[in-house]
Amino acid sequence: MSSNPSQGIPLRTIHEFPGGVHPGENKEQSTRTPIATPPLPNTFILPLNQHSGAPAELLVKVGDYVLKGQMLARANGFVSSPVHAPTSGTVTSVGMHPVPHWSGLEETCLVLEADGKDQWCELDPVADYKTVEKDELVQCIHDAGIVGLGGAGFPAAVKMSSRKASKIHTLIVNGAECEPYITADDMLMRERADRLLGGIEILQHMLNPQEVLIGIEDNKPEAIEAMRKVCAGKDAIEVVPVPTKYPSGDAQRLIWLLTGKEVPSDARSVDIGMLCYNVGTLVAIYDAITEGKPLISRVTTLTGAALHQPGNVEALIGTPAEHLLEFAGIQDEQFDALVMGGPMMGHTLDTTAVPVIKTSNCFIAASREEFPPPPPEQACIRCGMCADACPLSLLPQQLYWHAKSQNHEQLHHHNLFDCIECGACSYVCPSSIPLVQYFRAGKDEIRFQKAKSEKAERSRQRFEQRQKRLEAVAAEKEARRKANAEKARRAKEAKAAAGQSAGQNSADTSAADAKADMIKAAMERAKAKKATRAAGTDVATASSGKPARPQLSPKQKELKIQLSVVNAQIKKCERAASQAGENSSPEAEKLQADIDKLKQQQTQLKAEFEAASAPTEAPAKPAKAELSADEKKHKIELAMARAAVKKAERAVTTAKESDSDQLQTLQQQLEDKRRELARCEEAV
Amino acid sequence: MALIRQTSPHTLGQNKTSHIMRLVLIALVPALAAQTWFFGWGIIINVIWCSVIALGAEAWILALRKRPLSFYLRDNSALVTAWLLAMALPAAAPWWLSLIGVGFAIIFGKQLYGGMGNNPFNPAMVGYVLLLISFPQEMTSWVAPLGSGISAPGIGDSFSMIFAGSAVDGWTMATPLDILRENKSLTMNELWQNSPQLSGMTGLGWFWTNLAFLAGGLYLLKEKAISWHAPAGMLLALAVLSLLFWNGTGSESHGSPIFHLFSGATMMGAFFIVTDPVSGATSNKGRLLFGLGVGTLTYVIRAWGGYPDGVAFATLLMNMAAPAIDYWTQPRTYGHRKPKRGMAKTK
């Protein structure tokens, strides 16, 4: 506060964080040449989800002609980011395509065929951002599709627009770039320091921090020099070299290094008054505000032993990786693994057909010697080297045991969810145990279990509520039944009492008694009235309902029941058939035959029913009586046979489901039963 | 072309378990040389013999468990156990004593628990304690050190003592810790004058052997194969307790701090036994506590217990406490106000 940085170079204390490792840097290969611009590819693949948050919503359709910089998909909500056209051309398709994601799964992408003109759409830069409201600038940054270019891909506008962001005191600029191999930020700082400073000044205007600290690992002297040069004379901005140690580029590690402040486990850096932006993000913000250009390209490092000319390129988002690898002179005979990101936290890609996305800071085309397959895992000897390497002071050796035995309570107790998966523990493990992999699996397992138990809890609650509802309905029914019974009893009593009290009244002369009796009588009269009213309605409904219903002969009744049974069977068979049809099961045909048969039966029964109800009952009865001797027997047999067939069918299906070895015998039995049924049907 | 798919990190450090074990073996060489110098060739013969037994026993069990032999044998952990036990045994220990001790250490102390990394007790100490309890006579028959008046046995004599069962009586002498234990009447000065093996600071041969173990331990520290916490804890506890209970030079004396630090198995225990990562505590604070515990128990057993040296018993007792120590010494995780303590609460 009182110290004036311009009086001399202030000596800032660097707060060493615990742990960390020093893997081979391998940065010199890609820093020999300036940032290059590869030729325009013919095809661009643009995933709709290149950021953390919701995927963007498509604004164009197949066949549309678009201009460079035109918004192709808009942000879906605030924690989302739009996607812009990296060049002018035609949208040729929208569909699933491999993307650089560690799951290896495909995602919805928009494919853009370049027309080669590379024609910009009309840009709308902010003339003088100092005269513009903060909210408007935030919107500009949001609309430009700017996300954290350091790797996480968190929409840049979201961080700065929270209410807490207006109270930040320190802006941290992350130029540490601690991952080996990657030099994108290094080259960017060397070549675009002035634009980076411009970005910082925009954020200074928007957020008004007391100081800006630019953290750069001391293995990048050129970048430090370049930044110091442009920041000379800027009082509130300080370039702070930090010791080279992985993972100092992690935002919270860098905050610790520069300020000694810790971000609580359940909070974000903004909660302690700090915001951290990657240098690439700030340059993108500068371009978006002062030139109106959306984020359609980024600096990407192309390196690895399989590349003839490693270096950095200004890659248009959506450029297929293979195009860039060609540009950098890929040597197929050496090429063994493609890693996006660094060797510590990057992930391998299954194909070179994936595009450059906003978070693609590096592609490593590695040879077998460079990234050899990991040696077989040995037993953990609890040497504790992992604990010494952990930048969060976790105990990976303990977490490993608990992850292996899926002891979730212990994993929580050992703060598994604080693990940032930096890979330092795996790196130092003398037994070559892929610790990070165990931790990722452990985290996933816990998340999965949690989701499962939440689902089970919801189902339980639903079940209980349903049970309660059913109980309430049952209780209501019971209460009504009881009330009705009580009413009926009361009515009966009242009737008897009315007769009695009439006699008593005349006999008894006591006035009090008489009064009480009168009240009682009145009450009972009222009750009786109510009861009769209730009874009356019952009678009324009964009398009004009954005559409307036609009187059915026993024969008609029987036919009607049969008809309804057949109807039900048809419905059931149809359901089964449609299901079988969906599964394209061979049973579908058989079921269809059943349905036809049943429908025939239905029409027959209907006809019979009509016949039975149309003429007088008299001739119908003897007809039935005549038939009954033979037909009754057959019908019973038929019904029994049908039941037997059904039972056998059920047995067969269960056998099929459980892969029982009795399937053959059961099927044989089913065939027998079916034959029997056919015989019975013939007989009928 | 098919690209390799594998999980990060894609680059690994060069440190390997077999390398750490090899460092331990290298660090044992000075002490091995000192022991050979003072107690004769028997120690070298024992080291070779124990190595053969250890590798044989390990291979046998691995074969029974259907594990790849060479992959596990090459981790050198069996050799470390064998060497430590061989150097803890008397130089003239008969062949069957080593066979029982090392065989038990490898088979019961290590492999039956699931092999390397899974043994709750230090295998070498398991074997040692078994022998000490079962064969106290043989286990205390130490060859007299060089310069004690009795000439050290040559290679031939050592061979016949170890493998042919020839009498060792003529060659042996009580160890300094034994002498101190058995002493009831003499003052310290008288004791030192009467016993030739007590000359040379803390005992002839023993002082230099301990010093050699210390040198090996410092080498391991420099190579970062071990951390300083457990040795510091053990030596500190031993020094403080022996200073507290050092009642001068009378006949009841338990010995000076220097005597305790440089006698018996102190330095071997401090740098090669309590530093065993598998059976010890794992966090740095835990290791300090573990070392303090071993040092305290060692002194208690030496001063008031029934055995002349207590490092082995103390280590095994503390091995039992190691999991509990680990639960109570978790470091504070970044972003948390307090370190977690104790067991996880089960639902």
Side-chain angles (χ1 to χ4, degrees), chain A residues 395-632:
Chain A
L395 291 176
Q397 71 272 47
Q398 299 286 77
L399 284 168
Y400 161 71
W401 283 114
H402 300 314
K404 225 177 163 185
S405 57
Q406 303 212 337
N407 189 340
H408 295 168
E409 283 88 20
Q410 282 288 8
L411 285 176
H412 271 300
H413 193 61
H414 284 81
N415 300 328
L416 172 67
F417 280 88
D418 286 283
C419 170
I420 57 170
E421 298 174 21
C422 67
C425 50
S426 300
Y427 178 81
V428 297
C429 180
S431 292
S432 319
I433 302 171
L435 290 160
V436 178
Q437 183 65 2
Y438 277 100
F439 303 156
R440 285 194 197 115
K443 284 181 183 174
D444 279 352
E445 180 67 25
I446 289 176
R447 286 194 196 108
F448 177 70
Q449 291 287 347
K450 203 177 156 204
K452 216 164 118 186
S453 67
E454 274 169 5
K455 197 180 162 199
E457 176 62 22
R458 274 200 302 279
S459 318
R460 193 183 61 78
Q461 281 175 358
R462 263 206 306 274
F463 175 75
E464 277 177 1
Q465 275 163 6
R466 177 169 183 271
Q467 213 61 11
K468 258 185 214 157
R469 236 170 19 243
L470 289 179
E471 272 167 23
V473 168
E476 207 181 313
K477 238 183 199 168
E478 178 67 16
R480 224 181 307 146
R481 195 188 62 75
K482 268 191 183 155
N484 283 346
E486 182 74 0
K487 260 181 222 160
R489 196 177 56 77
R490 289 259 171 86
K492 218 169 165 186
E493 272 178 11
K495 229 182 209 170
Q500 249 180 19
S501 67
Q504 264 178 6
N505 258 357
S506 58
D508 208 328
T509 49
S510 158
D513 276 358
K515 203 175 175 189
D517 279 343
M518 270 167 76
I519 292 167
K520 204 175 161 190
M523 272 169 70
E524 269 160 8
R525 263 200 309 280
K527 260 180 206 158
K529 226 184 214 169
K530 213 171 167 186
T532 36
R533 223 181 12 248
T537 46
D538 273 356
V539 169
T541 47
S543 56
S544 66
K546 255 180 189 159
R549 221 175 278 156
Q551 291 288 325
L552 295 175
S553 66
K555 160 87 176 160
Q556 280 174 314
K557 263 185 198 161
E558 197 195 336
L559 283 170
K560 208 172 180 188
I561 291 165
Q562 278 182 11
L563 191 60
S564 62
V565 167
V566 169
N567 281 341
Q569 274 177 343
I570 289 174
K571 244 179 217 163
K572 200 170 161 191
C573 281
E574 276 172 351
R575 255 207 307 277
S578 71
Q579 231 164 44
E582 271 170 32
N583 304 338
S584 60
S585 150
E587 278 170 89
E589 267 179 52
K590 193 177 72 63
L591 283 164
Q592 198 52 49
D594 283 355
I595 292 169
D596 291 344
K597 209 183 279 171
L598 284 165
K599 278 199 174 148
Q600 269 175 19
Q601 225 173 333
Q602 187 191 27
T603 40
Q604 197 190 332
L605 280 166
K606 265 185 188 160
E608 266 183 64
F609 182 74
E610 293 298 318
S613 53
T616 50
E617 281 174 38
K621 254 179 188 169
K624 196 196 171 189
E626 271 172 16
L627 281 173
S628 65
D630 257 347
E631 279 213 0
K632 221 178 195 173

Side-chain angles (χ1 to χ4, degrees), chain A residues 116-133:
Chain A
K117 291 179 193 151
D118 209 24
Q119 191 183 350
W120 277 97
C121 66
E122 203 179 310
L123 299 178
D124 180 24
V126 176
D128 180 10
Y129 66 83
K130 286 190 175 149
T131 60
V132 176
E133 281 296 304

Side-chain angles (χ1 to χ4, degrees), chain B residues 93-336:
Chain B
W95 64 273
W96 52 267
L97 198 71
S98 313
L99 183 68
I100 294 172
V102 176
F104 190 79
I106 295 289
I107 296 171
F108 288 87
K110 180 178 167 193
Q111 285 292 342
L112 289 194
Y113 282 113
M116 183 166 79
N118 297 302
N119 46 299
F121 298 104
N122 186 321
M125 292 302 102
V126 168
Y128 183 84
V129 162
L130 173 87
L131 295 179
L132 190 61
I133 293 171
S134 313
F135 311 102
Q137 170 83 47
E138 285 80 1
M139 286 299 283
T140 47
S141 297
W142 271 89
V143 171
L146 183 75
S148 59
I150 302 174
S151 58
I155 295 187
D157 291 325
S158 298
F159 253 106
S160 62
M161 276 192 289
I162 292 170
F163 290 104
S166 69
V168 294
D169 295 353
W171 304 99
T172 58
M173 254 183 189
T175 65
L177 280 169
D178 267 335
I179 294 169
L180 201 67
R181 260 200 78 65
E182 300 304 327
N183 175 47
K184 291 282 177 280
S185 51
L186 300 176
T187 66
M188 287 296 110
N189 287 339
E190 290 166 346
L191 201 63
W192 248 250
Q193 275 160 15
N194 286 0
S195 325
Q197 62 268 54
L198 278 182
S199 61
M201 294 289 284
T202 60
L204 204 53
W206 294 95
F207 177 74
W208 284 101
T209 308
N210 269 288
L211 217 55
F213 274 120
L214 173 64
L218 293 177
Y219 168 71
L220 287 184
L221 275 176
K222 187 189 144 271
E223 291 292 317
K224 296 198 170 134
I226 58 172
S227 77
W228 57 267
H229 303 81
M234 175 173 169
L235 296 179
L236 184 73
L238 205 55
V240 167
L241 282 176
S242 52
L243 190 67
L244 273 179
F245 293 97
W246 186 25
N247 43 7
T249 56
S251 61
E252 288 298 304
S253 178
H254 296 303
S256 70
I258 292 293
F259 178 77
H260 277 283
L261 287 179
F262 288 95
S263 193
T266 304
M267 286 301 166
M268 181 188 190
F271 290 98
F272 294 89
I273 304 294
V274 299
T275 50
D276 171 31
V278 176
S279 56
T282 194
S283 64
N284 284 337
K285 204 194 280 175
R287 285 171 177 158
L288 193 63
L289 276 179
F290 183 83
L292 285 170
V294 173
T296 307
L297 287 173
T298 300
Y299 185 77
V300 167
I301 294 168
R302 277 183 184 179
W304 302 289
Y307 287 91
D309 202 351
V311 174
F313 289 106
T315 306
L316 291 186
L317 286 170
M318 287 310 291
N319 282 164
M320 283 190 249
I325 293 175
D326 283 339
Y327 284 130
W328 288 91
T329 53
Q330 281 188 50
R332 182 188 71 91
T333 306
Y334 169 90
H336 290 254

Side-chain angles (χ1 to χ4, degrees), chain A residues 207-275:
Chain A
L207 302 168
N208 203 18
Q210 288 159 25
E211 59 176 353
V212 180
L213 302 175
I214 307 171
I216 307 171
E217 267 193 356
D218 58 13
N219 61 356
K220 302 180 230 333
E222 292 93 339
I224 293 170
E225 192 48 45
M227 287 312 297
R228 282 220 164 116
K229 217 159 127 193
V230 295
C231 294
K234 308 279 178 191
D235 281 359
I237 305 177
E238 189 184 336
V239 179
V240 190
V242 297
T244 301
K245 177 167 88 169
Y246 178 85
S248 66
D250 173 68
Q252 300 195 349
R253 268 6 81 195
L254 191 62
I255 288 176
W256 176 304
L257 277 165
L258 298 179
T259 66
K261 297 242 170 63
E262 239 175 282
V263 181
S265 169
D266 50 0
R268 293 176 177 278
S269 50
V270 71
D271 294 316
I272 58 165
M274 298 192 202
L275 270 183

Side-chain angles (χ1 to χ4, degrees), chain A residues 77-130:
Chain A
F78 199 56
V79 186
S80 181
S81 191
V83 176
H84 299 82
T87 186
S88 57
T90 315
V91 179
T92 54
S93 69
V94 175
M96 300 303 268
H97 197 278
V99 294
H101 188 269
W102 47 266
S103 69
L105 296 174
E106 301 192 340
E107 267 183 43
T108 310
C109 297
L110 183 147
V111 180
L112 180 69
E113 211 65 47
D115 65 355
K117 291 179 193 151
D118 209 24
Q119 191 183 350
W120 277 97
C121 66
E122 203 179 310
L123 299 178
D124 180 24
V126 176
D128 180 10
Y129 66 83
K130 286 190 175 149

